[in-house]
Amino acid sequence: MDLTQGTAREKNDRAKKMMLWFGIVSLIMGFAGWTSAYIVSSKRKDWLDNIDLPQAFFISTAIIITSSITYWLAKRAMKQGNQKMTGNWLLVTLVLGITFIILQFVGFSQMLESGYYFTGPTSNIKMSYIFLIAFVHIVHVVAGLISLITVIVQFFRKKYSADNMLGLELGATFWHFLDFLWVYLILFMLFVR
């Protein structure tokens, strides 16, 4: 395929999609670095093997997976020209995204109640990594929520249609990436002891 061919809109759409994928790849590299450091640090003598992840992390995992499904349903409804369902599914996705973040902080509270701290004399390197990895993911979910709010605002301004939904597609791609990333991270922290 010759990327220099096509209308100005097609070229613009391809450029925006490519920029999103460059951003996603850079995020993957960052999280790969943190999970690699986690693995290297797991060889330390003070590494705790018997720490259970907070229950809220598992509930939030179900929430973010569900939010990915609702975003997909919004995109499908838009392709079918069903404006009402598109709006409904986008708003449900927003509520689920906010719920995910709240549950992450509940998980942090559960870790603190169990006596695990991010820093200080009673901290542990493993818990510090778990706090760090989860918090950095939360920051990216906040970016995803900002993107989602932008999509919702543009949707209600009637900027999208079945044949013009680039912003919705880009937002959905980023959201699905955040979902996949969290599932990877929770499985990583669960199985890499």
Side-chain angles (χ1 to χ4, degrees):
M1 175 200 312
D2 184 359
L3 296 178
T4 62
Q5 300 299 311
T7 66
R9 179 178 163 194
E10 290 170 338
K11 290 178 187 179
N12 188 39
D13 289 357
R14 280 195 305 263
K16 288 178 179 176
K17 288 177 183 177
M18 186 62 69
M19 290 305 295
L20 175 63
W21 281 107
F22 282 141
I24 287 173
V25 168
S26 68
L27 291 175
I28 290 170
M29 291 170 53
F31 280 96
W34 284 312
T35 54
S36 296
Y38 181 101
I39 291 169
V40 170
S41 295
S42 70
K43 306 302 180 215
R44 291 172 47 137
K45 292 180 182 179
D46 61 344
W47 190 262
L48 298 177
D49 291 332
N50 57 351
I51 295 175
D52 292 325
L53 293 174
Q55 192 64 32
F57 279 13
F58 297 105
I59 297 168
S60 67
T61 301
I63 294 292
I64 201 166
I65 290 170
T66 304
S67 74
S68 220
I69 293 167
T70 59
Y71 215 141
W72 175 81
L73 288 169
K75 191 174 151 187
R76 187 178 85 171
M78 178 56 75
K79 284 182 182 176
Q80 295 171 345
N82 190 337
Q83 297 287 320
K84 182 179 179 186
M85 288 309 298
T86 302
N88 291 343
W89 287 124
L90 286 172
L91 292 172
V92 169
T93 305
L94 179 64
V95 169
L96 291 171
I98 292 167
T99 303
F100 172 83
I101 291 176
I102 292 167
L103 284 169
Q104 292 290 286
F105 282 105
V106 169
F108 289 162
S109 295
Q110 290 173 346
M111 288 191 292
L112 293 172
E113 289 168 6
S114 297
Y116 300 116
Y117 298 94
F118 181 66
T119 62
T122 59
S123 67
N124 173 273
I125 188 71
K126 181 175 185 174
M127 292 313 293
S128 294
Y129 274 116
I130 290 172
F131 274 108
L132 173 71
I133 289 169
F135 184 77
V136 172
H137 184 264
I138 289 171
V139 170
H140 290 92
V141 173
V142 169
L145 285 173
I146 292 168
S147 165
L148 176 57
I149 290 168
T150 302
V151 166
I152 290 170
V153 168
Q154 296 295 61
F155 167 77
F156 283 112
R157 288 181 176 171
K158 309 278 189 220
K159 299 287 184 177
Y160 303 128
S161 64
D163 62 341
N164 180 22
M165 49 189 272
L166 179 67
L168 183 77
E169 290 173 345
L170 294 174
T173 299
F174 185 58
W175 194 262
H176 296 320
F177 163 71
L178 294 172
D179 177 5
F180 173 78
L181 179 61
W182 178 251
V183 171
Y184 160 73
L185 292 172
I186 193 82
L187 290 173
F188 176 86
M189 292 183 287
L190 187 62
F191 293 112
V192 177
R193 296 221 173 237

